[in-house]
Amino acid sequence: MRYALLVQGGPYSHQATHSALRFAEALIRRGHHLETVFFYHDGVYNAARLLAPPQDEPHLGDAWRRLHDEHGTRLQVCIAAGLRRGLLDEREASRHGKAGGSLEAPFELTGLGQLVDAGLSHDRLITFAP
Amino acid sequence: MSDESNLPSGDLLVVLRHGPHGSLWLREGLEAALVAAALGQRVSLLFMGPGVAALAANQQRGPLEQKGTLPMLEMLPLYEVEQLLAVEDDLVALGLGAECLAVPVERVGPAAVAALMARHPLVLNF
Amino acid sequence: MILHILNRSPLDSRVYRQALTAMGPDDRLLLIEEGVQGALPQMVRHFEGLDGRLFALREDLIARGLEGRCADGVLVIDVEGFVTLTEEADKSVSWF
């Protein structure tokens, strides 16, 4: 089946991200496709470029990047939720007169329409929230 | 109150369970509903728990000029979001009679909540 | 059939009551994260009537030192079982 995840909890602040990543690994092991992860609400902080957890903690940002690299999962960040929380790619940063972006590929800023589309076009959408 | 057979069906049910100003849940839930409607999806809104406070009349901007969410509710008809439902028990719990509401809403009993979940292929909880 | 996913403890919030209100007669409820507290014998009365439809995520129980302390009748599943529940349900709704 084609799965999408909606992540609404910030990294480390809540277990939502850990739960989503565990579920992601398990669904792939069971032969499903994780096509899309959509980050909304405080979930957008998962895309922060400079996450720097201590070495004995899992690196949640890298875990998302691995899903993209190994399974082609799209990592979509709601642009409205991201901008108001300081998550900007290079293009948005320069548009807003800021030096340097705080979000980089494979995370991509995108509209809420992508969430609606994922919810209706994928076989399953599972939400992980704080 | 509508009985179950009159409940709307649609593409997306957005459940709003948080009141205005205290967090972004309500605003970001309404934004999702408006975007889905703008894309031509049939959207139903269900106000539940503390979320029914979103319907109160006379809401104001916050002291730091936070916008609040009432203007978004007033925009819903422009996006053809016409199915606004609220859990009767929760309205009663906050003393929100029809005269206290900013927008008209269909009051539903607890049994309708499960029926609404079943009638929409996608449910987003905020 | 809908899979409802609850991550809040009955001790902490009334969200579990919202989830119960939203459940149809065949729907299932999975307790995850702090929600697994609801699987304890002292708490499970809040989920009366869900015989065979109440699940708890094993790894969240283990991490909290609660494995083996669940009430009879709670179905403890691993994360693969979580995926299976989502396969079997038409959709899922998360309560938080």
Side-chain angles (χ1 to χ4, degrees), chain A residues 6 8 40-42 80-81 84-85 111-117 119-120 125 127 129-130, chain B residues 11-12 23-25 27-33 35-36 39 41 121-126:
Chain A
L6 169 59
Q8 307 219 64
Y40 195 39
H41 197 74
D42 285 354
R84 60 164 68 103
R85 291 174 175 84
L112 267 173
Q114 295 295 319
L115 168 62
V116 176
D117 182 58
L120 294 171
L125 172 75
T127 296
Chain B
D11 303 303
L12 169 63
S23 68
L24 267 179
W25 287 115
R27 164 172 298 277
E28 294 190 333
L30 283 168
E31 284 176 358
V35 166
L39 293 171
Q41 305 298 332
L122 179 60
V123 178
L124 292 179
N125 228 340
F126 290 98

Side-chain angles (χ1 to χ4, degrees), chain A residues 15 19 22 29 32 124 127, chain C residues 33 59 80 86-87 94:
Chain A
Q15 201 186 334
S19 298
R22 287 286 299 162
R29 276 198 303 275
H32 299 298
R124 297 289 183 272
T127 296
Chain C
E33 303 176 359
E59 61 190 40
E80 276 77 15
T86 65
E87 293 166 8
S94 295

Side-chain angles (χ1 to χ4, degrees), chain B residues 2-123:
Chain B
S2 61
D3 71 51
E4 279 182 45
S5 58
N6 294 331
L7 291 172
S9 55
D11 303 303
L12 169 63
L13 175 67
V14 174
V15 187
L16 300 163
R17 301 177 300 135
H18 291 81
H21 289 295
S23 68
L24 267 179
W25 287 115
L26 176 60
R27 164 172 298 277
E28 294 190 333
L30 283 168
E31 284 176 358
L34 289 171
V35 166
L39 293 171
Q41 305 298 332
R42 292 170 304 151
V43 179
S44 306
L45 288 185
L46 173 63
F47 296 86
M48 188 175 187
V52 299
L55 299 162
N58 300 319
Q59 293 175 49
Q60 308 291 325
R61 282 178 169 258
L64 282 176
E65 292 298 309
Q66 312 97 295
K67 280 196 292 187
T69 42
L70 197 50
M72 297 176 77
L73 283 191
E74 288 163 347
M75 277 161 54
L76 290 170
L78 299 177
Y79 288 78
E80 294 178 7
V81 179
E82 278 146 14
Q83 302 295 349
L84 268 64
L85 307 112
V87 175
E88 165 80 1
D89 291 355
D90 297 327
L91 287 167
V92 170
L94 294 185
L96 290 171
E99 72 287 355
C100 305
L101 301 185
V103 292
V105 66
E106 181 85 29
R107 305 163 87 93
V108 298
V113 177
L116 283 166
M117 301 271 150
R119 279 165 183 251
H120 294 78
L122 179 60
V123 178

Side-chain angles (χ1 to χ4, degrees), chain A:
Chain A
M1 289 184 182
R2 302 169 60 212
Y3 273 77
L5 305 186
L6 169 59
V7 177
Q8 307 219 64
Y12 305 103
S13 309
H14 293 92
Q15 201 186 334
T17 299
H18 302 87
S19 298
L21 282 164
R22 287 286 299 162
F23 186 82
E25 293 163 359
L27 78 87
I28 290 166
R29 276 198 303 275
R30 283 188 52 83
H32 299 298
H33 300 286
L34 179 57
E35 296 202 359
T36 306
V37 179
F38 193 91
F39 299 93
Y40 195 39
H41 197 74
D42 285 354
V44 298
Y45 291 119
N46 279 280
R49 186 169 62 86
L50 297 176
L51 289 184
Q55 283 193 348
D56 58 356
E57 290 266 349
H59 195 302
L60 299 173
D62 285 353
W64 291 122
R65 276 184 277 275
R66 261 197 312 277
L67 279 175
H68 170 83
D69 293 344
E70 294 172 12
H71 304 284
T73 303
R74 281 173 302 197
L75 305 176
Q76 300 182 326
V77 179
C78 172
I79 186 165
L83 258 56
R84 60 164 68 103
R85 291 174 175 84
L87 276 299
L88 289 75
D89 59 14
E90 285 290 341
R91 184 161 149 255
E92 288 299 322
S94 78
R95 208 164 71 79
H96 286 84
K98 315 265 188 201
S102 48
L103 171 153
E104 62 190 9
F107 292 95
E108 48 179 321
L109 289 174
T110 181
L112 267 173
Q114 295 295 319
L115 168 62
V116 176
D117 182 58
L120 294 171
S121 68
H122 294 40
D123 298 309
R124 297 289 183 272
L125 172 75
I126 316 295
T127 296
F128 294 90

